Amino acid sequence: MKNLLFILACLIASFSFSQNGKLRGTINAGDQRLAFVNIGIASLGLGTTSDGEGNYSLENIPPGKHKISVSLIGYVSLEQELLILADSTIDFSPT
């Protein structure tokens, strides 16, 4: 009985640690790095903002095709569809 409970606990734990992907990069406008740019996936309710050096990281993205939006007041917004793979990091650095 203890072995059965242990196996069941292990199975539940393995399902709770899903294999999500990660998106990271740097936002540039020419030679200038842009701070406070919004990067997000509206369909998932996920988003982040670039730091003072233009770097960002967006984690826990489920595998699959997702429309990534990039926006900053005063600049043209960008939307691009990317394929996020399980347990991988995609480098997305639009200019």
Side-chain angles (χ1 to χ4, degrees), residues 2 14 21 25 27 29 33-34 36 52 56 61 63-64 67 88 91 94-95:
K2 287 183 182 181
S14 68
I27 308 296
R33 292 183 174 198
L34 299 178
F36 312 114
Y56 75 92
I61 305 170
K67 189 178 290 186
S88 67
D91 185 20
T95 56

Side-chain angles (χ1 to χ4, degrees), residues 4 11 17-18 29 34 44 64 72 76 88 90:
L4 180 61
L11 285 174
F17 294 107
S18 61
L34 299 178
L44 299 175
L72 178 64
V76 175
S88 67
I90 305 296

